[in-house]
Amino acid sequence: MDFRDQKFRRSPSIPEVVRFVCKHEGHTSREIAALEGLDKYAVAESLLIAKQQGLIKNGLARQCNIQNVRVATWWPANE
């Protein structure tokens, strides 16, 4: 496979992912990635780092509109 055929997976910066969570409160990782047009794995990785830094937190699990399974939602840490 030629590298030009691979989807570019830029991980959002921590401030970017926190901004995405504030913009899309209560959404799942996969939903946030879709809404922002980013790779789901890159967003998930950045979300976990931001959570470890205490900038965002998980909310109650709910049915994801994309995956159709129950998964955690994301919220700003100050909510």
Side-chain angles (χ1 to χ4, degrees), residues 13-55:
S13 69
I14 301 309
E16 282 180 314
V17 83
V18 171
R19 190 171 59 249
F20 298 156
V21 168
C22 290
K23 184 177 170 184
H24 307 293
E25 289 183 358
H27 282 78
T28 68
S29 173
R30 202 95 178 260
E31 291 168 343
I32 292 169
L35 289 166
E36 293 297 329
L38 296 170
D39 178 75
K40 62 185 176 185
Y41 299 111
V43 170
E45 182 179 8
S46 294
L47 286 168
L48 290 176
I49 294 168
K51 180 183 174 185
Q52 290 170 346
Q53 293 178 1
L55 302 171

Side-chain angles (χ1 to χ4, degrees), residues 6-7 10 16 27-28 35 46 49-50 66-68 79:
Q6 297 177 5
K7 182 176 181 181
R10 180 188 72 82
E16 282 180 314
H27 282 78
T28 68
L35 289 166
S46 294
I49 294 168
I66 296 173
Q67 289 177 279
N68 203 30
E79 292 292 316

